[in-house]
Amino acid sequence: MTISDWKRAIYALLVLPGYLGGAKVQRGLARRWLGQEGGARPRFVAAFGPSAVAFLLALLLFYLVGRIATYGLFWTGSDPEGTWGGPTLAGAWIVHFLIAAGMAVPIFLALRPLTRLQARLLG
């Protein structure tokens, strides 16, 4: 999980709403977050499928990160034995972090070809 993976995830999260702004916005997103300059003629219809899939994956990724980062802030502690990770908050954090990391790595790996394809199709 490198900085470029996080940039790719941000790009995937923004490119689908970027359809509302048109080609100029999408090329700006690719230039800003992927470092790619547009050159070919954009194919918006063909890029919509990979954009939607990448958007959903990025949304899941940021949900996981946000949920793990805030886990325990709203924990009442009324039934700590029922949480994954045991009776302590630290154990629950560790277990939830490992589960989220196990899900985040495949998402990052899936976003690499998807965002590459998006950028190529969007020109």
Side-chain angles (χ1 to χ4, degrees), residues 2-103:
T2 64
I3 293 296
S4 62
D5 287 329
W6 285 104
K7 286 182 176 183
R8 218 175 273 114
I10 292 170
Y11 170 76
L13 196 62
L14 296 176
V15 76
L16 191 62
Y19 268 87
L20 299 174
K24 187 175 181 180
V25 170
Q26 291 173 341
R27 285 186 178 161
L29 287 172
R31 184 173 42 263
R32 167 70 173 98
W33 295 106
L34 300 178
Q36 294 183 349
E37 292 294 328
R41 190 171 145 242
R43 296 179 290 200
F44 296 109
V45 176
F48 186 78
S51 296
V53 172
F55 174 78
L56 292 174
L57 287 174
L59 197 62
L60 176 62
L61 176 71
F62 284 107
Y63 170 77
L64 289 171
V65 169
R67 184 69 178 125
I68 295 303
T70 61
Y71 188 80
L73 294 179
F74 308 105
W75 192 37
T76 61
S78 61
D79 187 21
E81 289 81 22
T83 61
W84 293 354
T88 65
L89 182 57
W93 266 332
I94 291 169
V95 169
H96 283 82
F97 171 77
L98 293 174
I99 291 169
M103 294 172 70

Side-chain angles (χ1 to χ4, degrees), residues 103-123:
M103 294 172 70
V105 170
I107 291 173
F108 278 129
L109 293 175
L111 285 176
R112 286 180 182 176
L114 281 172
T115 54
R116 197 175 311 123
L117 177 63
Q118 281 175 331
R120 192 177 73 227
L121 289 173
L122 292 173

